Amino acid sequence: MLSHADNMKMCQTGRGTPMGEALRRFWIPVLLSEQLSEPDGPPRRLEIMGETFAAFRNTDGVVGILDEQCCHRGASLVLGRVEGCGIRCLFHGWKFAVDGTIMETPNVLDPRFKEKFRAKSYPVREEGGMIWMYMGPAELEPPFQPWPYFDVPAENRLTVAFVVDECNFVQLGEALVDSSHLTILHKDIFARDSDTVVAVAVKNAGAVAAPKIEVQETDFGLYYAATRAVPTEDGGTVDEVRLATFVAPFHYHNANGNFSASLCR
């Protein structure tokens, strides 16, 4: 069990906290592509690790993410209009490109004035049906990870997002790599939805709530296997293995069903 101090250190992600600074060294998925589906469509407000941003897709279809507050008078850019390859602040009409360049300052006639300022922008990538951003220091920006599912045809890939209230990222991660709770907490839910691959796997393993856990550490995180000796109709057992992968700092790959060779006993 962690002490309260260690727990807070692990869970707090604001800028300046140990974990917050660590997480900002990674590329983070922040939106589904479909959530900014139309060029020049309405911007979206993002709140990531205690900071707020305005995300938009410009006329050419390129996604930009800027600090929410306009660098002029602090008005929210989420209230702005996306037009002419930029986002225009509702207050004084300053228009910003996806890289933060100031394109227009209607209330200042000097054409050189806009060259003195720049909005805070963030590196963005759009892959795998998701929009990713990097929030850390520019000099420490890591290469963008080419996940294998990026190359899967869109029709073979289901990309979804959901919000979990009253929960931090550590609590959610702990549940995702906890195989034993599936057959207790989720047993009834999966039983009612018995046609899915996940439901069948959990139903079959329901008689064994304490799987054998084996962990292999890797340079990216860890693999683990949860093995259950599941009873069969003929009175024997068969090993059912559920595999899970943790990729630092917050990616979890949970395979559904039994992906090992069945070993009859």
Side-chain angles (χ1 to χ4, degrees):
M1 300 293 291
L2 292 177
S3 67
H4 176 73
D6 285 343
N7 188 66
M8 295 301 288
K9 182 183 294 185
M10 176 65 71
C11 298
Q12 291 180 333
T13 59
R15 190 172 290 277
T17 64
M19 186 56 69
E21 292 303 308
L23 293 177
R24 283 168 173 77
R25 301 296 192 271
F26 294 85
W27 284 93
I28 303 172
V30 294
L31 281 173
L32 303 182
S33 293
E34 64 187 42
Q35 292 178 302
L36 286 177
S37 58
E38 298 180 5
D40 288 343
R44 290 188 67 99
R45 183 178 188 270
L46 299 178
E47 184 172 355
I48 308 294
M49 295 189 287
E51 299 185 71
T52 58
F53 310 91
F56 64 100
R57 189 182 297 277
N58 73 8
T59 309
D60 295 331
V62 179
V63 175
I65 298 179
L66 309 179
D67 279 345
E68 180 185 1
Q69 283 70 40
C70 176
C71 62
H72 176 214
R73 292 295 303 277
S76 173
L77 291 178
V78 179
L79 302 176
R81 296 189 299 270
V82 183
E83 59 188 18
C85 281
I87 183 169
R88 188 181 297 279
C89 179
L90 189 68
F91 200 178
H92 291 93
W94 287 26
K95 188 166 78 170
F96 305 92
V98 294
D99 64 355
T101 299
I102 300 177
M103 304 169 71
E104 298 177 11
T105 55
N107 64 326
V108 180
L109 298 180
D110 183 352
R112 295 173 297 176
F113 176 79
K114 62 180 178 290
E115 300 173 2
K116 300 177 182 179
F117 305 94
R118 191 182 187 94
K120 175 62 176 175
S121 65
Y122 297 83
V124 175
R125 300 288 188 277
E126 186 169 11
E127 293 286 353
M130 293 183 288
I131 296 167
W132 306 66
M133 69 180 292
Y134 173 70
M135 300 171 60
E139 66 274 14
L140 297 177
E141 180 181 330
F144 184 69
Q145 173 68 42
W147 295 94
Y149 64 84
F150 290 171
D151 298 325
V152 174
E155 59 270 22
N156 294 343
R157 183 179 58 232
L158 177 63
T159 307
V160 298
F162 60 93
V163 177
V164 181
D165 291 327
E166 303 299 329
C167 178
N168 63 55
F169 82 104
V170 177
Q171 291 168 317
L172 186 60
E174 288 175 336
L176 288 172
V177 293
D178 177 8
S179 184
S180 65
H181 88 282
L182 288 176
T183 54
I184 301 173
L185 177 62
H186 299 302
K187 181 178 180 179
D188 292 342
I189 296 175
F190 287 134
R192 291 195 297 269
D193 189 19
S194 58
D195 293 335
T196 68
V197 174
V198 179
V200 172
V202 174
K203 183 178 180 179
N204 290 343
V208 185
K212 177 184 178 182
I213 304 293
E214 298 177 88
V215 179
Q216 176 183 344
E217 293 187 4
T218 69
D219 58 354
F220 58 77
L222 60 86
Y223 291 111
Y224 90 87
T227 305
R228 292 174 171 87
V230 179
T232 60
E233 294 182 357
D234 60 5
T237 60
V238 61
D239 280 351
E240 179 167 289
V241 182
R242 292 179 60 82
L243 303 177
T245 305
F246 166 67
V247 182
F250 42 54
H251 299 281
Y252 300 88
H253 302 266
N254 289 356
N256 296 325
N258 181 9
F259 282 78
S260 72
S262 295
L263 304 175
C264 297
R265 295 179 179 176

